[in-house]
Amino acid sequence: MKTTNTLAQWIDGQSDFPDDVADREVYENIKHYSAQIEAPTLDKTKVFENIKKVQGSKKSTIKPFVFKIAAILVLAIGLLVLLKEFTVSSHKTLTAQTQSIQLPDQSEVLLQPGSSLSYNQYFWFLDREVTLQGEAFFEVAKGKTFTVNTHHGKVKVLGTKFNVKSFNDELHVVCYEGRVEVSQNNVSEVITPNEFIVLSGGEFTIKDSIQLKELPSTSGYYQIINSNFDTLIKDVERYYGVEINSKQIKTDKNFTGKLPKSNIDKTLDIISKTYQLQYKSINENNFIFVGDEGH
Amino acid sequence: MAVKSLDNVCQDKIYASVFEKYADDINRFFFYKYGNQVAAEEAVQEAFIKLWENCKTVPVEKAKSYLFTVANNISLNAIKHQKVVLKYAKEQPQKKEDRQDPAYKLEEEEFKQKLQQAISELKPKQRSTFLLHRIDGKTYKDIAEIENVSVKAIEKRMSQALTQLRQHIEQI
């Protein structure tokens, strides 16, 4: 028991280094360098403000507080029930994560990685309307107009299957079934099955057709359509939850094709072949693209 | 009686000064233990909110130990343990001023990295004791008060931490 604390006394400057302990050099180094570590910093102003807020909300604590608490509890529970029933319901996916969502009218949504979707359950039957950030595939049940709001414009349908992708400054819509109307301010376009359209900077930049064989909801692939290289890389990062350094690559060739879900190696192979690149894995989630030799 | 009411933590000024005095300490203590900055900040918040709620029963001189007791009791189930990531302060003097050659510098950097990793592998109790002493320069008595154990127990944790660190460093 006596000897166990000698090291503690030494590092505290109370005694010399114990004779019976080996590796003095290592201990000396530990002592020296550990003192150079930086302490964490605390944003005191912010924390203090938070505390003040809580204080403010708790200030009125007078005697019959049991009744007050009971009343507040009843109210809170009531409100929670109301909130749960009637307010906006939202869903969010992280990278490499997808989510299947069933809307109140049995319409199905496949929310793709790195995206979020919200809608108001209460008003659902007055207005079939969802707000989307990112990418989702919709299989809409027949009925009244169904609207997808995005940062870049609206997508309106009656009952169809379509994919919406809204990232950065582009809105990309693909129609799998039925008719889809894409609009922003006063411009609008209609696309039919096997057509896609791109809305960029307030204008429709591309409208073209493509052979679509599988629905995103049942396919084992991510369908990429007419995407430039940078957008493609961002999609891959989101779909697979990886980081890719492609700073060295300059290309204006667009990509159309299918990328196997949950197989990042194959995906990188496909991209490498298409663009004649080499890739190197730094670790499991980190990759770097370089030009092929001679490029 | 009059003195007691003067020293009431419920008074805004006194409360603010207690916060100013101990917020950093609690933050560091919690961070050293669990390596989670967000959780540390929440622990500070929670401890001070509890102090406020009980300000009438906690005299100023007991505020510190009250705060650390609350922080110590915060349910650890709720905390997602993170790897403790520590940084070295920049521009530190070298251990041997006369050695400026790259080989020595490289060796020094390597040791610092190993030490960092070894610290992150310590048990939470050992780590908080070690870092409170090494970074914050707390005495064993201070740390004993913070951790609510005896000085002997803290010395033991320190010795164990040192032995563990040496072993980890040699294994890396």
Side-chain angles (χ1 to χ4, degrees):
Chain A
M1 208 58 205
K2 203 186 92 219
T3 51
T4 48
N5 293 345
T6 51
L7 278 171
Q9 278 157 12
W10 159 74
I11 203 167
D12 199 39
Q14 300 171 27
S15 65
D16 288 337
F17 194 82
D19 293 330
D20 53 347
V21 178
D23 293 317
R24 174 164 185 177
E25 177 75 17
V26 179
Y27 285 112
E28 292 280 5
N29 278 334
I30 292 173
K31 180 178 178 183
H32 180 80
Y33 291 111
S34 59
Q36 295 185 358
I37 297 172
E38 226 169 34
T41 48
L42 175 70
D43 186 348
K44 276 202 247 178
T45 324
K46 189 185 103 195
V47 174
F48 197 66
E49 273 167 16
N50 284 344
I51 294 168
K52 284 275 160 205
K53 266 184 229 153
V54 176
Q55 280 180 5
S57 66
K58 283 183 181 169
K59 211 138 203 180
S60 57
T61 45
I62 323 169
K63 270 291 136 169
F65 70 103
V66 177
F67 292 103
K68 284 202 169 179
I69 285 172
I72 288 166
L73 270 178
V74 169
L75 260 174
I77 291 166
L79 263 175
L80 269 178
V81 171
L82 278 172
L83 282 174
K84 218 178 166 200
E85 283 298 312
F86 299 136
T87 52
V88 172
S89 131
S90 31
H91 302 267
K92 197 173 158 83
T93 53
L94 304 173
T95 57
Q97 203 182 59
T98 61
Q99 196 184 350
S100 292
I101 301 156
Q102 195 169 55
L103 298 173
D105 63 352
Q106 312 296 307
S107 291
E108 300 273 356
V109 184
L110 174 69
L111 193 59
Q112 301 285 26
S115 306
S116 65
L117 180 89
S118 61
Y119 59 95
N120 196 316
Q121 289 186 321
Y122 184 48
F123 295 109
W124 186 254
F125 291 98
L126 299 174
D127 219 349
R128 298 202 293 173
E129 210 172 288
V130 300
T131 302
L132 172 73
Q133 278 181 308
E135 179 177 3
F137 174 68
F138 295 87
E139 295 184 60
V140 174
K142 295 254 182 306
K144 278 185 296 209
T145 311
F146 181 102
T147 311
V148 183
N149 292 311
T150 73
H151 275 321
H152 314 106
K154 279 176 195 260
V155 182
K156 277 187 191 172
V157 303
L158 288 170
T160 61
K161 296 179 182 173
F162 61 103
N163 195 75
V164 180
K165 194 165 170 181
S166 156
F167 286 108
N168 308 323
D169 46 3
E170 256 187 24
L171 176 64
H172 200 293
V173 184
V174 190
C175 178
Y176 287 81
E177 226 183 87
R179 278 162 59 88
V180 178
E181 184 193 296
V182 183
S183 64
Q184 191 206 33
N185 300 331
N186 40 15
V187 290
S188 87
E189 279 276 350
V190 172
I191 53 170
T192 53
N194 293 321
E195 280 189 320
F196 70 94
I197 196 160
V198 180
L199 180 66
S200 175
E203 278 177 49
F204 291 105
T205 51
I206 306 165
K207 181 180 173 182
D208 211 341
S209 58
I210 176 161
Q211 205 51 47
L212 298 163
K213 293 200 184 89
E214 288 172 298
L215 298 177
S217 50
T218 51
S219 162
Y221 294 87
Y222 288 115
Q223 177 79 57
I224 305 278
I225 300 168
N226 205 7
S227 167
N228 67 42
F229 184 73
D230 290 343
T231 310
L232 170 67
I233 293 301
K234 280 190 192 120
D235 284 348
V236 171
E237 289 184 322
R238 218 171 35 246
Y239 290 157
Y240 301 91
V242 296
E243 271 177 50
I244 297 172
N245 175 345
S246 60
K247 277 183 218 140
Q248 293 186 35
I249 313 303
K250 297 268 176 297
T251 172
D252 44 22
K253 201 162 127 187
N254 280 356
F255 184 91
T256 296
K258 294 192 295 184
L259 305 176
K261 286 181 183 170
S262 63
N263 189 343
I264 181 68
D265 293 326
K266 217 164 180 186
T267 291
L268 294 173
D269 281 342
I270 292 168
I271 297 170
S272 301
K273 282 215 181 86
T274 312
Y275 285 95
Q276 290 180 305
L277 306 172
Q278 300 266 345
Y279 74 90
K280 216 177 122 182
S281 141
I282 296 164
N283 61 42
E284 171 187 8
N285 297 316
N286 226 314
F287 301 90
I288 184 160
F289 268 120
V290 290
D292 215 341
E293 272 169 76
H295 282 263
Chain B
M1 291 307 269
V3 176
K4 202 178 170 191
S5 73
L6 270 180
D7 288 351
N8 199 325
V9 188
C10 299
Q11 286 178 357
D12 280 346
K13 251 192 189 162
I14 292 175
Y15 184 80
S17 75
V18 169
F19 180 83
E20 189 57 38
K21 210 165 164 188
Y22 301 121
D24 264 328
D25 279 352
I26 297 169
N27 180 56
R28 288 169 183 210
F29 162 68
F30 219 82
F31 177 73
Y32 295 155
K33 220 165 194 176
Y34 303 109
N36 186 327
Q37 183 55 55
V38 177
E41 215 175 277
E42 279 167 7
V44 174
Q45 219 161 294
E46 193 170 330
F48 276 96
I49 287 167
K50 283 255 164 68
L51 176 68
W52 178 257
E53 287 168 354
N54 295 296
C55 64
K56 282 180 190 138
T57 53
V58 183
V60 179
E61 58 275 17
K62 286 272 185 317
K64 184 182 174 188
S65 72
Y66 181 83
L67 288 167
F68 278 107
T69 307
V70 176
N72 261 318
N73 287 343
I74 286 170
S75 161
L76 300 180
N77 304 330
I79 298 167
K80 204 176 141 218
H81 279 240
Q82 285 183 349
K83 193 167 178 253
V84 181
V85 182
L86 301 162
K87 275 185 287 191
Y88 287 96
K90 288 179 192 89
E91 304 291 327
Q92 284 286 334
Q94 274 183 273
K95 192 165 176 237
K96 294 175 184 159
E97 287 290 346
D98 51 328
R99 295 285 298 269
Q100 293 295 331
D101 52 300
Y104 178 72
K105 280 189 179 165
L106 205 66
E107 212 177 277
E108 189 181 37
E109 279 312 310
E110 196 190 341
F111 184 85
K112 282 161 96 170
Q113 288 239 323
K114 283 180 177 177
L115 177 62
Q116 225 172 16
Q117 199 187 326
I119 291 172
S120 76
E121 282 165 10
L122 285 178
K123 290 199 185 94
K125 281 178 183 173
Q126 291 172 0
R127 182 168 48 240
S128 56
T129 292
F130 179 75
L131 292 177
L132 283 167
H133 184 273
R134 301 311 300 148
I135 301 180
D136 296 345
K138 296 260 185 245
T139 65
Y140 292 150
K141 193 166 158 271
D142 289 339
I143 302 170
E145 208 178 305
I146 288 171
E147 299 268 18
N148 204 12
V149 292
S150 68
V151 172
K152 272 270 171 292
I154 292 300
E155 286 183 349
K156 197 170 168 199
R157 282 182 197 177
M158 183 54 132
S159 293
Q160 282 168 343
L162 284 166
T163 319
Q164 284 292 317
L165 287 175
R166 199 210 79 223
Q167 280 172 10
H168 284 315
I169 287 170
E170 281 171 359
Q171 277 162 17
I172 296 166

